[in-house]
Amino acid sequence: MPTAFSEINFIDIDQEHMLGRVHSFEKCSALDGPGLRVVVFLQGCQFRCLYCHNRDSWDLHAGSLYSVQEVIEQVLPFAGFLQSSNGGVTVSGGEALLQWEFLTLLFKQLKKLGFNTCLDTNGYVKDQLWGANLDELLGYTDLVLLDLKQMNRQRHEALVGVSNDRTRNFARYLADIGHPVWIRHVLVPGYTDDIEDLRSLAQFLQPMTNVEKIELLPYHRLGKPKWEEMGLEYPLGDLEPPSRAAIDEIIAMFKSDYGLELVSA
């Protein structure tokens, strides 16, 4: 990997001109893909998750404008430890697919420089992205981290404001083409922990040979202060995180009834 920005030869002039809206950077994460990673959080999201911990990322017009090369400049100082840990760069959000053109150019450049790339997404793929555009993006994406929030369509709408149809279609497409994916499911008491919904999730994932890991992420209240800082009421109030016993029971059910391994914090 290059260690100086002067060593980079950009692929085409469009990369220098296209700008993306960036919410923030996390320079050392061990939770967003393999190894240690720099995480780029893009601005804007079409979901309205009741438990969102980046409430300030929803606004499509907020954030800071960056060119691809400016994002690369944020990553390069960490190239050594990313490489030594078999890590790389994860792009998250907000929802990264809202800026798919910028994302494709960024991943194209990162792959040219030898970085492992991960896309952390809610999978809400709009019509204009399907086809050659999506395939090009996935061609530069080593791993997809796909958040399956709720398998029941009505409960999904109540939780995030839109249906899960597009997310389910995207998950099936990744399975059809054999693209590596880690599945993430946030366990929110009273919203995503119904046993029949969890069985639907297991049945949905069971035949997918491209799923490398299933992460069961316990709900937390770490995002509550951001809502309050923005003068907003946190929708879930004082909802308690799930108990360790409840988490272990779900892990055991996935293993015994469906042969699926879950990992959880």
Side-chain angles (χ1 to χ4, degrees), residues 109-179:
Q109 185 64 49
L110 287 169
K111 291 307 299 176
K112 181 184 178 185
L113 298 172
F115 288 100
N116 176 275
T117 56
C118 288
L119 166 62
D120 184 4
T121 178
N122 62 34
Y124 195 83
V125 180
K126 292 193 172 183
D127 294 342
Q128 64 267 33
L129 182 50
W130 284 104
N133 291 326
L134 180 58
D135 290 340
E136 181 183 14
L137 171 58
L138 291 175
Y140 302 121
T141 305
D142 292 309
L143 177 68
V144 174
L145 310 180
L146 180 59
D147 193 356
L148 293 180
K149 299 177 184 294
Q150 168 59 265
M151 295 304 292
N152 180 283
R153 190 178 192 276
Q154 288 71 36
R155 292 192 184 102
H156 191 276
E157 289 181 356
L159 181 66
V160 309
V162 298
S163 81
N164 57 11
D165 295 344
R166 292 180 184 272
T167 301
R168 291 168 66 111
N169 289 340
F170 182 56
R172 292 190 189 98
Y173 183 69
L174 294 176
D176 289 344
I177 65 175
H179 197 285

Side-chain angles (χ1 to χ4, degrees), residues 212-241:
E212 297 182 350
K213 180 185 287 190
I214 307 172
E215 296 181 308
L216 188 65
L217 307 177
Y219 160 78
H220 57 70
R221 294 196 296 262
L222 297 180
K224 184 178 180 181
K226 284 192 176 182
W227 289 72
E228 295 171 344
E229 288 170 10
M230 297 176 68
L232 301 171
E233 182 179 355
Y234 184 63
L236 299 188
D238 296 320
L239 182 69
E240 292 291 333

Side-chain angles (χ1 to χ4, degrees), residues 193-207:
D193 62 344
D194 178 84
I195 191 65
E196 292 307 315
D197 294 340
L198 289 166
R199 287 190 178 277
S200 294
L201 175 63
Q203 292 162 5
F204 184 73
L205 297 176
Q206 192 175 34

